[in-house]
Amino acid sequence: MAPKETTTNSNSNGMQEFKLAVIGGGGVGKSALTVQFIQNIYIEEYDPTIEDSYRKHAKIDDKPVFLEILDTAGQEEYKALRDSYMRTADGFLMVYSVIDRKTFEEVNEFYEQILRVKDCDKAPMVLVGNKCDLESERVIRIDEAKVYSKQLGIPMIETSAKQRLNVDESFALLVREVRKSLKSSDEDQLTKKKKKPCSIL
Amino acid sequence: MNVFDKIQPNSGSVPPPSSNTTKRPKSLAAMLSRNRSSTSKFDNLSTTITNNDDDSNNTANTTSETNNNTTTTPINDDDNTASPSITTNTTNTTTPTYTPTTPPPPPPAALKQRRISMAAYTQKPSTTTINTANDDNNNDNNINSPPSITTTSSSVTNIDITNNNTTPMDLLTTIDCKQNNIEVGSSSVPSTPTTTTGSNVSTPTGTKPTTATATAGNRKSQKPAEVLNPQDFYSVDLSQLTYTPDPDSSIVIQENQIEHASLNKLIEELTSHTNYDIHFLHTFMLTFRNFTDKETILKKLEERFNYPPNCPPEEFATFKREILDKVRLRIINSIKYWIENFFVFDFDSEMMQFLSKFIEMVRKSNQNALAKVIENTLERVKNNDSGKVITKVECPEILKLKKKVFSKKKTYSILDYPLQEVARQMSLIDYTMFKKIEPKECLNQAWNKEHRVTKAPNISRMIQHFNQFSGFVATEILKQEDHEKRVKCVEKFIELANHCKGLNNFNAVFSVMSGLNSSSIHRLSKTWEAISEEAKKTREELLSITNTNGNFANLRNMLKTVNPPCVPYNGVFLTDLTFIEDGSPKYINGLINFGKCRLFAKVIRDIQTYQNTRYNFEEYKELKDQIEAVEKLSDDELFNMSLQVQPRAQKKKKVATSTANASASSLKEDDEENEKKPEKLDF
């Protein structure tokens, strides 16, 4: 069998460890979202070349979690690598820009690709409409995005990386989704009658 | 005592700048100040610093202390190391006890300092006469302990040292840099690392007249009472020169590095008559495209070239010699560097017209020699004479395809060739593309924008080939007729990737591995189980290189220790550049965030390092052509083939494929729950 590349879901201390991928077309503000999440303070020179640039300890719903964010912003055109990158992640933030319809339409492509990579019909994902501060330029109404996210069966949230609005919340939503899938996976193994969720391990 | 511990940057003293900025200096001494900031009208020629608050209280102390300890370190500059044409006109003063005859090497620590002094070039200090009011014998300790060598300040004629507290050491070394290709360094004092945003703005030569007068030796080059007509040195009428420099608040310096600055201030830094910093020049030229364009830079340099002489006519000669000539020389050297490093990129026909006009302007300013410097550089660059000699080492023999006599094959797959040779040819191809990547392609996310093909042609081409080859890997595996051949094919690609790794071609390693990791190949568990143990082990090793954990920690570590030639995987650089771009603002309080530019420059310099060394392999045309023309099927086609090769193990529910036909089962999520605000959030 092929070697596993995914991260383990808990470290030696028993703390949960998740790898979350931030996915989306170029220019949706993925990287800004990630930087805002990783760095709590406003920073004049963000150096992304160091090992801990994308790691963070967080406490979500009172439970601590160690997060490694996989954000390959800038590598969007390396389409051949998407499968590899997606396979390593436990959960996905699918980001579009509310001022760019093309990026909203691209989400479906990512959605399908994630399910294909994970070889299952459900994976922990959150739909994120970024740049919601640019109200006057908005082309994707929140209702439209809600209807779509309902169809996909995933949570949806609007964010503004610029104004640091809902940034932490979007990641927290995703962590909950990942936890939910782990839980249902456990149940699955016990009951063995539900549909097979994505195996993360 | 380490003098660096004590000295504040740009220290030097009284009075606070505000007291004097509007008055015309009584003597040129003020403007000759080698400190980063001075109070003379000519301040704007030297670099100035903001935040001079909190200094006023202890100005006096600072003055005496810093003066006592002022040191400069002579350094051999890139181009003009102890050039015979550098002569100290007049050694105004030096310590009575120490007169360097040759510039000693700089201390390593000093090299790291942003401000490097060249002040102590004293070739003929012998005839120094000193009449100074202050004998600072008490700091002989510092003065006499190399490598921190005492400033050898000098100036041309009798100079009034206008401040009682000022030691003669604070005067500027005069370097006769008459249109030789000479850079003039700064003589500012290196700061302690803890120094914060430029304090101690002041000048060593204040307003109060004193008795300190220096007369000096080396009279050979001394031309007292030299009178020049300023208009002779400007191409435009003097009355038209209206350049007004930005206020000191337009630059923020921390730990001796520019953090934020206006464009005008950056240009002043670049062409300062006192400070010389080759790293700053590199960074500036690499990254200015991030905040402005090439035309603006040339225009700004022209403005700077025509810096108005705000001094009475009788002082013009000194102004010209001490400031204008040096500034102009720095301008020319900056342009020379620009042309040498970015000619193909920046100097299109329109830009060449601007440059011709610039050269014309230089010539009309009676600076023929400077004009000639640019022209010669252009000539040299056009003739592609980089001046570097590449030694030819014999390359290894091509490993040719052994065409089997009885083979029915008419065409050969890449995998029929010796894989070592395939890896070599791939490396040649990849390196050739990689080598062409220009710094401009790396800025403003040019490779990721709509016009990427024109704005970042080489990065785009490389990515395109990367995807193509990756698709080819998957296609080739799925095209195999049976299980055995498929297994063999997978093993061969692993071996190929391993050869690429051996050649430090990480681009190819990522490309082949991404093909093997694509969904349609990755899911073929039966194939993977059947590959040899050796292949499995090799695959593990290769996967560790492409592993994304720890921000590509494994790959980054390998790149750090790699022995060129090497083709790195560019994607990591592109992500770094994206995060530098989006992770910090371009402007801070209206000033250019130059610290961010330094981060950009670091990444671009890394790329350039790998671009420097080429592979020494002979081109095997027939194979190379085949690699360049590999074909692939679409992802959907590949996935369907994959399902035929190995059907899904379990039944899988139909997945929502679009907004329109999303399966009803996926609608079960409660909308309210989705929108529910997180109850507890503690980051």
Side-chain angles (χ1 to χ4, degrees), chain B residues 554-585:
Chain B
N554 293 347
L555 176 69
R556 286 180 196 271
N557 285 335
M558 286 190 89
L559 283 175
K560 263 179 218 156
T561 54
V562 83
N563 218 353
C566 161
V567 183
Y569 166 61
N570 280 339
V572 175
F573 295 133
L574 300 182
T575 296
D576 288 348
L577 291 165
T578 302
F579 274 91
I580 293 168
E581 177 85 49
D582 295 348
S584 32

Side-chain angles (χ1 to χ4, degrees), chain A residues 3 19 31 45 75 112 151, chain B residues 259 548-549 569 582 657 666:
Chain A
K19 189 160 182 174
S31 50
E45 290 158 34
Q75 298 183 49
E112 285 180 33
Q151 285 172 334
Chain B
E259 291 302 324
T548 59
N549 285 349
Y569 166 61
D582 295 348
T657 49
S666 60

Side-chain angles (χ1 to χ4, degrees), chain A residues 81-200:
Chain A
L81 273 166
R82 275 194 206 164
D83 283 356
S84 311
Y85 289 158
M86 285 174 175
R87 190 170 299 115
T88 66
D90 301 314
F92 304 85
L93 281 189
M94 295 195 294
V95 190
Y96 67 92
S97 156
V98 303
I99 63 165
D100 186 350
R101 178 160 290 277
K102 205 175 120 252
T103 64
F104 181 65
E105 283 163 0
E106 275 170 349
V107 168
N108 206 62
E109 197 185 315
F110 289 117
Y111 176 79
E112 285 180 33
Q113 194 171 1
I114 290 166
L115 294 184
R116 179 182 278 183
V117 167
K118 292 292 182 185
D119 196 26
C120 60
D121 51 1
K122 203 169 184 327
M125 296 184 230
V126 170
L127 182 65
V128 178
N130 193 30
K131 304 194 183 178
C132 71
D133 53 293
L134 301 173
E135 197 51 57
S136 62
E137 296 171 56
R138 176 193 283 274
V139 293
I140 305 294
R141 285 177 300 111
I142 191 160
D143 305 358
E144 188 181 354
K146 269 185 193 169
V147 169
Y148 177 56
S149 75
K150 248 189 179 183
Q151 285 172 334
L152 298 184
I154 61 172
M156 187 265 158
I157 191 169
E158 282 199 350
T159 58
S160 164
K162 205 168 153 194
Q163 298 180 353
R164 213 173 197 291
L165 185 72
N166 280 346
V167 173
D168 291 347
E169 285 77 1
S170 61
F171 282 89
L173 263 182
L174 183 55
V175 169
R176 284 192 199 106
E177 288 297 301
V178 176
R179 283 174 176 165
K180 228 192 272 177
S181 78
L182 280 176
K183 208 176 149 202
S184 69
S185 166
D186 290 345
E187 281 170 7
D188 219 37
Q189 280 175 359
L190 289 171
T191 60
K192 285 191 180 176
K193 62 182 180 185
K194 274 195 166 182
K195 67 179 182 188
K196 179 194 169 243
C198 217
S199 69
I200 289 165

Side-chain angles (χ1 to χ4, degrees), chain B residues 440-510:
Chain B
K440 195 169 91 176
E441 299 185 51
C442 301
L443 293 171
N444 301 324
Q445 294 173 47
W447 71 90
N448 231 0
K449 299 250 167 90
E450 211 177 325
H451 303 291
R452 65 178 79 91
V453 179
T454 46
K455 291 207 163 162
N458 299 300
I459 292 179
S460 294
R461 204 171 299 128
M462 238 183 135
I463 295 177
Q464 206 261 333
H465 180 70
F466 180 101
N467 290 335
Q468 190 69 18
F469 200 87
S470 169
F472 161 77
V473 171
T475 306
E476 198 68 10
I477 293 167
L478 289 167
K479 253 171 49 186
Q480 303 299 317
E481 298 142 21
D482 55 46
H483 176 73
E484 278 70 36
K485 283 184 179 161
R486 215 161 21 246
V487 171
K488 196 90 208 141
C489 187
V490 168
E491 286 176 348
K492 279 193 171 186
F493 276 121
I494 292 171
E495 192 188 334
L496 175 62
N498 203 35
H499 281 302
C500 292
K501 179 194 160 200
L503 296 175
N504 299 326
N505 184 352
F506 297 103
N507 181 67
V509 171
F510 268 70

